[in-house]
Amino acid sequence: MNIENAQVQMRKGILEFCILHIISRGEVYASDMLEELTSARIMVVEGTLYPLLTRLKNAGLLDYKWVESTSGPPRKYYLLTETGQASLKGMNDTWQELSDSVNSIVSKTDKHKAAINGLTTVESPAPAAETSPDTPSGEN
Amino acid sequence: MNIENAQVQMRKGILEFCILHIISRGEVYASDMLEELTSARIMVVEGTLYPLLTRLKNAGLLDYKWVESTSGPPRKYYLLTETGQASLKGMNDTWQELSDSVNSIVSKTDKHKAAINGLTTVESPAPAAETSPDTPSGEN
DNA sequence: CAAAGGTACTATGCAATGCAAGGTACTTTA
DNA sequence: TAAAGTACCTTGCATTGCATAGTACCTTTG
């Protein structure tokens, strides 16, 4: 997949985790969540956030209350339910383990490159590998 | 989503990234990739890995060659194409930025909890929030 | 030599989430 | 009163990881 698509795919599961974190700090409405995601360089828009909030509400992880605004329509302020807090605890572990796993693989590659280059950190292109024609069975 | 599903969702995009890293170190076949994923605590099975390898091959990121085995059927040894190497470079940045984003959000929450608890690091349960009845419009 | 076991690989439909695009509704301003 | 700003909603689609069932080759055993 191309880089943009890779970014989309890598956000799956992550966005919910981030949202639960943001809401866990106290009641907050959608626009504030978007601001914080943007400042953390996770670029999402309302069309992504509202369906996610609805899904989390329906799954029992969130509750909300309407609050009148002094400058526009009323707003939904969200907070975590106890289910949501429990879910967030679990996802903390999930994220930590996944992140450790990925970083251990990445650092093995970096060490491998360092070893090949005699401890220099300059990356040199690997020699192009020859592709032999398929043998036992045809192209899949 | 529950924790197991969260793990599945969080792997989207990540698995390809890990596979590209593993293959970037030199030609390798599927069973070795599975071993390394397992040792990094990313538990996948053949039914997940082979379709991914096929997809990456079809996308031009990988090549393979058949190699006779001394103890079973022939094996496909995979290596990255130049496209695959370029893709991996891009995904390094994608992963790094996403990881930094998530960790910044997570650490903001931790600081918030520490502030609430008067700089102790012991987590205490947040008081359950009251949910008011819906007001301007019905339940979504 | 045939059957069984081990190993390697293939194919495919499904579940689930993030996304894009179009939309409604309330409040404020001109 | 209409336009602009703000807040929220809906829905179909793209994509990947997964589970399951399957094929095929090689080695070992009977």
Side-chain angles (χ1 to χ4, degrees), chain A residues 30-76:
Chain A
S31 188
D32 288 337
M33 299 179 206
L34 283 173
E35 276 185 39
E36 175 156 356
L37 290 169
T38 300
S39 88
R41 303 176 65 92
I42 297 178
M43 313 301 188
V44 301
V45 295
E46 292 93 341
T48 300
L49 184 55
Y50 286 110
L52 173 55
L53 291 174
T54 302
R55 194 176 351 117
L56 295 177
K57 168 70 169 81
N58 291 342
L61 276 56
L62 302 184
D63 268 324
Y64 63 80
K65 60 187 180 186
W66 284 101
V67 172
E68 298 294 324
S69 165
T70 54
S71 63
R75 301 168 175 171
K76 274 179 174 173

Side-chain angles (χ1 to χ4, degrees), chain A residues 15-16 19 42 60 62 64 66 75-76 79 88-90 92 95 98 100 105 109 129 140:
Chain A
L15 205 50
E16 170 175 338
I19 290 301
I42 297 178
L62 302 184
Y64 63 80
W66 284 101
R75 301 168 175 171
K76 274 179 174 173
L79 8 79
L88 180 53
K89 272 189 192 308
N92 274 323
W95 165 250
L98 181 72
D100 290 345
I105 289 176
T109 305
N140 289 327

Side-chain angles (χ1 to χ4, degrees), chain B residues 102-139:
Chain B
V102 174
N103 287 330
S104 84
I105 288 176
V106 168
S107 66
K108 270 188 177 178
T109 304
D110 292 341
K111 282 170 183 147
H112 178 265
K113 281 173 173 168
I116 281 185
N117 291 328
L119 293 182
T120 66
T121 51
V122 174
E123 290 186 14
S124 57
E130 246 180 278
T131 304
S132 58
D134 295 324
T135 41
S137 59
E139 187 101 46

Side-chain angles (χ1 to χ4, degrees), chain A residues 132-137, chain B residues 27 29 64-77:
Chain A
S132 57
D134 295 324
T135 41
S137 60
Chain B
E27 54 194 52
Y29 85 120
Y64 63 79
K65 59 188 181 186
W66 284 101
V67 172
E68 299 293 325
S69 165
T70 54
S71 61
R75 302 167 173 172
K76 274 180 174 173
Y77 276 84

Side-chain angles (χ1 to χ4, degrees), chain A:
Chain A
M1 51 177 145
N2 62 29
I3 294 305
E4 278 162 14
N5 185 46
Q7 288 169 340
V8 169
Q9 294 306 322
M10 283 186 177
R11 279 189 210 124
K12 288 184 189 290
I14 296 293
L15 205 50
E16 170 175 338
F17 179 50
C18 292
I19 290 301
L20 291 180
H21 258 284
I22 294 172
I23 298 176
S24 74
R25 306 186 206 129
E27 52 194 55
V28 59
Y29 83 122
S31 188
D32 288 337
M33 299 179 206
L34 283 173
E35 276 185 39
E36 175 156 356
L37 290 169
T38 300
S39 88
R41 303 176 65 92
I42 297 178
M43 313 301 188
V44 301
V45 295
E46 292 93 341
T48 300
L49 184 55
Y50 286 110
L52 173 55
L53 291 174
T54 302
R55 194 176 351 117
L56 295 177
K57 168 70 169 81
N58 291 342
L61 276 56
L62 302 184
D63 268 324
Y64 63 80
K65 60 187 180 186
W66 284 101
V67 172
E68 298 294 324
S69 165
T70 54
S71 63
R75 301 168 175 171
K76 274 179 174 173
Y77 276 85
Y78 287 89
L79 8 79
L80 292 194
T81 59
E82 291 196 19
T83 305
Q85 288 167 17
S87 180
L88 180 53
K89 272 189 192 308
M91 293 183 83
N92 274 323
D93 298 335
T94 296
W95 165 250
Q96 191 57 58
E97 180 158 44
L98 181 72
S99 178
D100 290 345
S101 298
V102 174
N103 288 330
S104 84
I105 289 176
V106 168
S107 67
K108 270 189 177 176
T109 305
D110 292 341
K111 281 170 184 147
H112 179 267
K113 280 174 174 167
I116 283 187
N117 291 328
L119 293 182
T120 66
T121 51
V122 176
E123 290 185 15
S124 58
E130 247 180 276
T131 304
S132 57
D134 295 324
T135 41
S137 60
E139 184 100 44
N140 289 327

